[in-house]
Amino acid sequence: IAPAKKEAIMAVLELTADTFNDAIAADKTVIIDFWAPWCGPCRSFAPTFEAAAAKHADVVFAKVNTEEQQQLAGELNIRSIPTLMVFREQVLLFNQAGALSAGQLETLLQQVSGVVAVDLSVLQPYGQGASPEPQRPRQGRSGTGIGRKEAQA
């Protein structure tokens, strides 16, 4: 009888305004769930998000409680929850409100893993630029948030 295979269970990080920028600065893919305790769809999505975190040790999974982090949610223009954002190297690859099914989340993770790092180098990282105003993350193609490079304004 073969020994049981152990899976690395990755914890889901709780991000705050103080830890957000450091979290998205990593060269790893970071997927962030913006949620609130009173939000039914957020609570329903939580097990799906946690299961994906356990399955994908190469991705950083994080949550932002929008009730506790209202300023951060405002700076990121969170208008509806749950909202998912995916970053790599401070570049926003995906931004969508609404809970995803397990299959949709898996597809998203496969899509963002296919974005080549060299493609990201041409985009302006979140929080950097000439403007003294807080910078919003750059977004990819509408709908999926994957793959399109937008011209700088």
Side-chain angles (χ1 to χ4, degrees), residues 10 23 27 30 43 56 60 74 78-79 95 97-98 121-123 146-147:
M10 193 73 170
D27 61 353
V30 181
R43 289 193 315 266
H56 294 276
V60 175
I78 302 297
R79 300 283 181 242
N95 180 6
S121 66
V122 299
L123 298 176
I146 306 294

Side-chain angles (χ1 to χ4, degrees), residues 23-29 88-89:
I24 67 168
D27 61 353
K28 287 185 125 187
T29 299
R88 188 171 337 129
E89 298 175 19

Side-chain angles (χ1 to χ4, degrees), residues 29-54:
T29 299
V30 181
I31 183 167
I32 305 169
D33 174 20
F34 292 84
W35 70 286
W38 51 263
C39 169
C42 299
R43 289 193 315 266
S44 295
F45 178 63
T48 301
F49 193 74
E50 290 165 8

Side-chain angles (χ1 to χ4, degrees), residues 68-129:
E68 295 175 357
Q69 301 298 319
Q70 292 181 14
Q71 182 177 349
L72 178 59
E75 288 174 5
L76 293 169
N77 205 26
I78 302 297
R79 300 283 181 242
S80 181
I81 52 174
T83 290
L84 285 180
M85 288 186 171
V86 179
F87 290 89
R88 188 171 337 129
E89 298 175 19
Q90 297 181 338
V91 175
L92 179 63
L93 301 177
F94 180 85
N95 180 6
Q96 180 176 305
L100 300 180
S101 69
Q104 291 169 323
L105 183 55
E106 186 64 33
T107 298
L108 170 62
L109 290 166
Q110 289 172 1
Q111 288 176 336
V112 297
S113 71
V115 176
V116 179
V118 76
D119 291 342
L120 300 177
S121 66
V122 299
L123 298 176
Q124 181 178 356
Y126 169 74
Q128 294 183 5

